[in-house]
Amino acid sequence: MGLVVQKYGGSSVADAEGIKRVAKRIVEAKKNGHQVVVVVSAMGDTTDELIDLAEQVSPMPAGREFDMLLTAGERISMALLAMAIKNLGHEAQSFTGSQAGVITDSVHNKARIIDVTPGRIRQSLDAGNIAIVAGFQGVSQDKKDITTLGRGGSDTTAVALAAALDAEVCEIYTDVDGVFTADPRVVKKAKKIDWISFEDMLELASSGSKVLLHRCVEYARRYNIPIHVRSSFSGLKGTWVSSEPIQQGDKKVEQAIISGVAHDTSEAKITVVGVPDKPGEAAAIFRTISDAEINIDMIVQNVSAASTGLTDISFTLPKAEGRKAIDALEKNKHGIGFDSLRYDDQIGKISLVGAGMKTNPGVTADFFTALSDAGVNIELISTSEIRISVVTRADDVNEAVRAVHTAFGLDSDSDEAVVYGGTGR
Ligand code: ADP
Ligand code: ASP
Ligand code: MG
């Protein structure tokens, strides 16, 4: 029996009962002969509550202190979980990200893991303990400050530890039975996926399917760590995310033409109005944005009006970065040369993902037909080889996701899309 890494999300450890339930599960894995490393998130919506608290004290809290505050959430759950395991008669030790050897760069609030040196975790396992690690956090290599990995970052901690410890599998326990063809909170007829490739999962995750964080999938693909996404509330098999299809009976699961529909309402749109239509303008705008360390998503440049020679450029970015982007552009207004800025946070994005798109030319037409039949107006479009995304009004998103899901024959005949916990926040 090898080493397994299990990650439990906030909804799985939302209260004392949840912690005790999870502790029993962990002890089962240990009794089955595995060495067990557990990565745990903050209880329930603790991280959101800490963010609200920080904003009441200061509208723009400093990154270092903000990270110090947020990591407290995971510290609470790791210690309680270790206590609950000991109460069941098994030895457990908890570790902060820093103690577990999670080394990051120094970009506060969205640090990247650059190395994992899990010496203390190994020692603890070799001494017969279950090792509990606080997710979502590390320590910066140069300044030795505490950092966080961005929202949902415990998933990345789990895969990074699995890679560093050469684990058999990384199990991600959450409040649904696996990865579905759409968010079960929105599509009641969503279908559980038995196996999905890293590539399709990466597109779903980066398009808003928060069941797995995209950085975690990226990491798993790079180190070829199979992920098993499952519920901590049921005993059902979940979804395997790996490079090769899993075996079911005597045959391999087939790659679906369409893996699923993702949606995202966490982005906003900025339109830079009245930009001179000449070389270097887009470069100046996006240099300003990148100097502010903001990642953008979609871009569209309108045709310029012949009479004025001016054009508009729109792009989308995380709402959380909206203020920073507007401030940076305003500061550079004369250098770039534009009339005004428009900010719109009432947008939503719907994405259809599937490797089969490459070889099925009808997919794009069917996607747009489904949206038009549902009366949904499209504002921006972007595509990759295996994804089509559109931006619409935020109010239209749920309806659009359901329409596309049905149009592509993804609706399930059974009621398998159960949501066991969580607030969906
Ligand atoms: P955790 O607290 O365990 O990290 P998250 O809230 O981050 O849980 O992720 C689980 C949630 O992801 C589910 O409750 C579900 O609403 C959402 N979700 C979005 N898209 C999907 C999908 N395609 N399949 C499953 N869950 C999804
Ligand atoms: N607690 C952090 C968050 O809510 C990290 C995580 O849950 O993965 O984003
Ligand atoms: Mg999560």
Side-chain angles (χ1 to χ4, degrees):
M1 288 283 180
L3 189 154
V4 295
V5 173
Q6 300 189 329
K7 178 255 170 178
Y8 292 90
S11 50
S12 296
V13 291
D15 50 22
E17 280 317 305
I19 289 179
K20 289 199 268 184
R21 184 174 45 80
V22 162
K24 278 195 203 136
R25 241 195 141 110
I26 295 166
V27 165
E28 280 313 307
K30 172 81 178 165
K31 280 192 192 155
N32 286 337
H34 288 104
Q35 283 196 312
V36 189
V37 175
V38 176
V39 173
V40 69
S41 293
M43 295 170 72
D45 291 332
T46 302
T47 307
D48 291 289
E49 287 155 14
L50 291 173
I51 292 173
D52 290 348
L53 199 55
E55 283 168 356
Q56 286 173 45
V57 175
S58 158
M60 284 265 202
R64 182 184 184 280
E65 305 313 323
F66 197 54
D67 277 353
M68 197 62 115
L69 173 72
L70 295 194
T71 54
E74 270 69 12
R75 274 195 180 219
I76 294 172
S77 41
M78 74 178 195
L80 289 172
L81 190 52
M83 290 175 198
I85 292 172
K86 285 196 188 203
N87 194 45
L88 297 174
H90 288 259
E91 288 308 314
Q93 281 186 326
S94 64
F95 298 91
T96 63
S98 166
Q99 289 174 324
V102 180
I103 317 284
T104 72
D105 61 20
S106 43
V107 183
H108 284 293
N109 305 331
K110 51 180 179 188
R112 270 183 186 273
I113 297 176
I114 48 184
D115 197 9
V116 182
T117 51
R120 289 192 69 181
I121 303 298
R122 278 241 185 261
Q123 274 173 7
S124 183
L125 292 172
D126 290 344
N129 296 310
I130 293 168
I132 317 281
V133 179
F136 167 64
Q137 53 180 275
V139 60
S140 66
Q141 194 168 45
D142 50 357
K143 297 197 188 123
K144 306 282 178 272
D145 278 329
I146 297 300
T147 53
T148 62
L149 308 176
R151 298 307 308 270
S154 299
D155 293 348
T156 318
T157 307
V159 171
L161 274 171
L165 293 164
D166 204 14
E168 259 172 27
V169 57
C170 180
E171 297 182 328
I172 304 275
Y173 286 93
T174 184
D175 55 9
V176 289
D177 279 311
V179 180
F180 284 74
T181 48
D183 185 344
R185 285 178 205 272
V186 173
V187 181
K188 297 286 166 252
K189 290 180 183 162
K191 209 186 287 175
K192 190 173 82 191
I193 300 172
D194 293 327
W195 169 78
I196 182 167
S197 66
F198 284 131
E199 284 64 34
D200 279 18
M201 191 63 234
L202 206 53
E203 290 284 358
L204 281 178
S206 49
S207 307
S209 297
K210 69 167 182 161
V211 61
L212 284 182
L213 194 74
H214 70 104
R215 270 194 192 172
C216 127
V217 186
E218 240 167 39
Y219 215 102
R221 180 172 65 168
R222 188 172 339 129
Y223 294 95
N224 202 16
I225 304 292
I227 303 178
H228 189 187
V229 183
R230 50 196 309 197
S231 165
S232 71
F233 297 80
S234 80
L236 297 179
K237 275 195 198 137
T239 301
W240 283 92
V241 188
S242 59
S243 52
E244 287 298 319
I246 54 163
Q247 200 77 21
Q248 245 174 14
D250 53 5
K251 57 178 187 210
K252 290 202 162 177
V253 173
E254 275 184 32
Q255 167 107 44
I257 292 177
I258 297 299
S259 283
V261 189
H263 72 280
D264 189 359
T265 48
S266 69
E267 293 191 342
K269 180 170 77 173
I270 290 179
T271 302
V272 189
V273 181
V275 181
D277 194 0
K278 60 176 176 41
E281 283 301 310
I285 291 172
F286 294 113
R287 175 66 56 208
T288 302
I289 297 295
S290 81
D291 285 349
E293 287 181 2
I294 296 169
N295 291 320
I296 56 150
D297 184 12
M298 295 188 186
I299 303 175
V300 68
Q301 173 168 348
N302 296 331
V303 179
S304 63
S307 54
T308 60
L310 296 178
T311 182
D312 297 344
I313 295 181
S314 299
F315 62 92
T316 62
L317 77 174
K319 272 181 198 164
E321 311 268 36
R323 183 75 263 155
K324 205 157 88 174
I326 294 280
D327 288 349
L329 287 168
E330 285 291 0
K331 221 165 120 196
N332 249 345
K333 185 170 181 180
H334 291 295
I336 302 168
F338 60 85
D339 287 341
S340 59
L341 298 172
R342 273 206 306 265
Y343 183 70
D344 178 359
D345 62 2
Q346 293 303 306
I347 60 161
K349 184 171 77 171
I350 299 123
S351 306
L352 183 72
V353 171
M357 239 174 246
K358 283 188 246 181
T359 44
N360 286 275
V363 170
T364 312
D366 292 346
F367 179 63
F368 288 116
T369 305
L371 291 171
S372 98
D373 289 350
V376 174
N377 193 41
I378 295 164
E379 301 181 14
L380 296 179
I381 302 172
S382 89
T383 60
S384 83
E385 242 192 339
I386 60 169
R387 174 186 52 78
I388 321 172
S389 304
V390 293
V391 165
T392 67
R393 288 292 89 206
D395 287 346
D396 286 338
V397 165
N398 289 358
E399 191 49 44
V401 172
R402 288 190 279 265
V404 170
H405 196 267
T406 304
F408 280 89
L410 298 173
D411 289 355
S412 171
D413 302 328
S414 60
D415 295 328
E416 55 185 328
V418 181
V419 179
Y420 298 94
T423 56
R425 188 169 172 183

